[in-house]
Amino acid sequence: MARTFHAAAARVRRLRSRPRATAPVSAGGLVPAEHPWKLAPGLLAVVVLGAWLGLLVVGSVRTPVGPMDTTMTLRPSVSGGTKINVSPLGALELDSHHAPVRLDVDVDQLDPERSQALVKHPERLSGLQDEVTDDVASGTRELAVRSCVAVVSGATALGLVVYRRPRRALAAGGLALGLLAASGVSAYATWNPKSVLEPKFSGLLSSAPSVVGDARSIVTEFDVYQQELARLVTNVTKLYDATSTLPVYQPDPATIRVLHVSDIHLNPAAWHIIGSLVEQYDIDVIIDSGDTMDHGTTAENGFLDPVRDLGAPYVWVRGNHDSKDTQAYLRKTRNAHVLDEGSAVDVAGLRIAGIGDPQFTPDRSRPTGGKASEQEAGRRLASELRDQKRAGTPVDVAVAHDPNAARETDGTVPLVLAGHVHHRVNELLPLGTRLKVEGSTGGGGLRAVQNEKPEKVRASVLYLDRPTRHLQAWDEITLGGLGLTTAEVSRHLPEENLKSPPPSAPPSTTSP
């Protein structure tokens, strides 16, 4: 009996020493061990949330950049990019990279001692760019190290809380580090150093493009820029107390500033917006690509009276909501220049030609010609443009209401403007003509109340070189629609200006 007992005990010990291939017995019998891939979604969620919490807690560094004290932070983001916050003036955004992280730079304050040193020794401004570059590089390196520690610590800590197993917690930390490294590689691979040339401004900084002047002035007149920068540094402490004291750079005399508006649709607020932009941007000429009215009745004609006092010449073409009565009334209005059937006008150093829309859609008694009639009108305009070029009076800017008509002018004029579609289009046509379509400066007008969301108010400032009359840059102004108070300004350069340095400008007589 004793021998049998000892044999059974030995057998049990051998069985216990063998590794188990199955999970513990459940009510339904043996359950296979859980596959690792089933744990992946939960582990990924822990990694992302933990890394995000880590960045929020410790993922930022305070670092001096030139005369400024800044805080640099990495934030999770779908689109990437860089956002520079200048409290209380607003912010500017740069499309600097594409990655699931965004770089936030908060300008906390200007160091008085470093600022005064620049003012007292302007010669140091020549080395300011290198100093700022070194400061940013140093801050970025420190931020990268701190961010690695933050995401690993955050993911590991959360993994330990959720799983209560050190091995899985360490796996979460390692995966977080791998994701951050992949984000860094993506940012490096998509880095766009030219994004600084096309910033988007918001808040009070929306006035910044009017301060900069011509898109090429900093390149061609760096001595003037240095003097103005010194003034900006001198006054910057006042900006934090009274934000209206921004110093203004002198406009480049080689720049023609055109305000392009369209599709006002009887919105009386548009005249106040246009007047403000004319004053703020020192506009030389306003070009309206039509649909100023909504029904084109004679009762609406009084709406056009503010054109007399806008502060700049007003060039207009008829839209499909503007009648011939509208056109006749505006033709008699002081300060207005009405274009139709390819007629041209010389104003503000530009030769502008245009054609009215062949359709008047509020009149339901007449059939509309559709796209074919618009293309035919565009061909008539193109024919007039060619005739004027042969006569030695080439046109610089053409205007039509419908983009279908405007596209027919390709190859006959450098720039053609249009509206009608209530959203912006910027397109370089096959034969070299640039088509710029403006959104609704009236925010959709009276019909905006019918929409589920307010339609935004849009206008653009075009900068044309005076000697060549070619487009150098443009600012897109976007305001919140009915009931909204948002404002954005973004600067854009033509593709050819991004690929090569801008042409040299004649000597400037501008003084700071």
Side-chain angles (χ1 to χ4, degrees):
M1 177 70 70
R3 185 179 302 171
T4 305
F5 174 79
H6 287 300
R11 187 179 303 168
V12 169
R13 284 195 297 270
R14 287 196 300 272
L15 289 174
R16 285 182 176 179
S17 65
R18 293 178 183 176
R20 290 181 296 178
T22 58
V25 177
S26 66
L30 295 177
V31 179
E34 190 173 10
H35 291 286
W37 62 266
K38 291 184 178 180
L39 301 174
L43 181 62
L44 184 60
V46 168
V47 167
V48 172
L49 181 59
W52 179 67
L53 292 174
L55 286 176
L56 285 180
V57 176
V58 294
S60 62
V61 297
R62 290 182 58 84
T63 182
V65 176
M68 300 174 293
D69 291 326
T70 69
T71 300
M72 302 175 68
T73 311
L74 282 182
R75 289 283 182 260
S77 170
V78 176
S79 57
T82 299
K83 185 175 183 180
I84 302 174
N85 301 295
V86 189
S87 178
L89 303 179
L92 64 103
E93 298 180 29
L94 307 176
D95 187 19
S96 57
H97 64 276
H98 299 286
V101 289
R102 184 187 74 209
L103 175 63
D104 284 357
V105 181
D106 295 317
V107 178
D108 301 323
Q109 64 180 5
L110 207 78
D111 185 272
E113 293 184 4
R114 298 200 299 271
S115 303
Q116 288 299 323
L118 285 174
V119 174
K120 293 178 181 179
H121 304 281
E123 67 276 5
R124 295 185 183 180
L125 287 170
S126 59
L128 184 59
Q129 180 177 354
D130 293 335
E131 179 185 345
V132 169
T133 302
D134 293 340
D135 290 343
V136 170
S138 175
T140 303
R141 286 193 296 269
E142 184 179 351
L143 178 62
V145 173
R146 183 179 287 262
S147 297
C148 289
V149 174
V151 299
V152 172
S153 301
T156 302
L158 187 60
L160 194 59
V161 170
V162 173
Y163 296 114
R164 301 183 182 276
R165 296 182 183 179
R167 184 173 297 177
R168 286 192 182 177
L170 292 174
L175 183 56
L177 182 60
L179 289 177
L180 182 63
S183 300
V185 171
S186 176
Y188 181 80
T190 58
W191 181 252
N192 177 22
K194 295 179 180 178
S195 62
V196 71
L197 298 175
E198 296 186 322
K200 178 184 288 186
F201 299 88
S202 61
L204 290 174
L205 284 179
S206 295
S207 63
S210 68
V211 179
V212 174
D214 185 5
R216 70 185 192 182
S217 61
I218 291 179
V219 178
T220 59
E221 300 176 17
F222 189 72
D223 56 336
V224 176
Y225 170 68
Q226 288 191 106
Q227 297 172 29
E228 294 292 350
L229 181 59
R231 290 175 57 193
L232 178 62
V233 171
T234 303
N235 292 334
V236 74
T237 54
K238 298 180 182 179
L239 293 177
Y240 287 86
D241 299 326
T243 56
S244 61
T245 60
L246 271 169
V248 178
Y249 295 135
Q250 296 291 336
D252 191 314
T255 302
I256 302 173
R257 300 185 178 204
V258 177
L259 177 62
H260 182 201
V261 302
S262 190
D263 295 84
I264 292 174
H265 285 291
L266 283 181
N267 186 347
W271 299 127
H272 299 283
I273 294 169
I274 292 172
S276 175
L277 292 173
V278 167
E279 181 178 357
Q280 181 181 356
Y281 284 83
D282 195 19
I283 295 298
D284 296 300
V285 58
I286 305 162
I287 299 180
D288 185 342
S289 48
D291 270 7
T292 313
M293 303 303 205
D294 210 41
H295 299 91
T297 63
T298 55
E300 296 173 339
N301 286 343
F303 176 75
L304 298 169
D305 290 346
V307 167
R308 304 182 184 123
D309 304 311
L310 289 178
Y314 190 82
V315 179
W316 180 87
V317 297
R318 187 179 68 250
N320 62 294
H321 283 264
D322 305 317
S323 66
K324 292 292 183 69
D325 290 334
T326 303
Q327 181 167 302
Y329 185 88
L330 191 58
R331 197 183 292 276
K332 298 175 183 178
T333 302
R334 176 174 52 85
N335 196 47
H337 303 271
V338 174
L339 304 179
D340 198 6
E341 296 301 329
S343 61
V345 62
D346 293 301
V347 58
L350 292 174
R351 186 164 180 82
I352 308 167
I355 191 168
D357 198 293
Q359 304 184 89
F360 180 53
T361 51
D363 186 356
R364 304 295 183 182
S365 64
R366 298 181 181 181
T368 58
K371 181 177 179 180
S373 66
E374 299 292 349
Q375 292 174 328
E376 174 57 30
R379 286 190 285 269
R380 293 201 305 273
L381 176 58
S383 177
E384 290 294 326
L385 295 175
R386 283 190 287 268
D387 289 344
Q388 295 197 44
K389 185 174 183 179
R390 284 192 290 267
T393 56
V395 170
D396 304 308
V397 182
V399 192
H401 177 65
D402 194 302
N404 289 310
R407 284 189 171 87
E408 296 297 320
T409 66
D410 187 18
T412 64
V413 67
L415 176 65
V416 60
L417 307 180
H420 184 60
V421 294
H422 289 209
H423 64 264
R424 290 190 177 109
V425 175
N426 171 50
E427 181 180 351
L428 189 61
L429 300 177
L431 298 180
T433 295
R434 182 173 294 277
L435 168 64
K436 290 196 62 59
V437 181
E438 190 52 74
S440 174
T441 309
L446 297 178
R447 66 188 66 195
V449 298
Q450 303 172 359
N451 300 332
E452 183 178 348
K453 294 182 180 180
E455 186 172 334
K456 293 186 177 181
V457 174
R458 293 178 170 90
S460 295
V461 178
L462 314 179
Y463 300 92
L464 286 84
D465 180 64
R466 189 173 295 275
T468 64
R469 289 153 336 259
H470 286 171
L471 184 65
Q472 296 294 313
W474 65 91
D475 292 334
E476 294 180 350
I477 297 99
T478 305
L479 308 177
L482 189 65
L484 301 179
T485 57
T486 58
E488 289 184 355
V489 180
S490 56
R491 170 155 293 182
H492 302 270
L493 302 180
E495 296 87 338
E496 56 270 23
N497 285 15
L498 288 171
K499 294 176 182 177
S500 59
S504 59
S508 171
T509 58
T510 303
S511 58

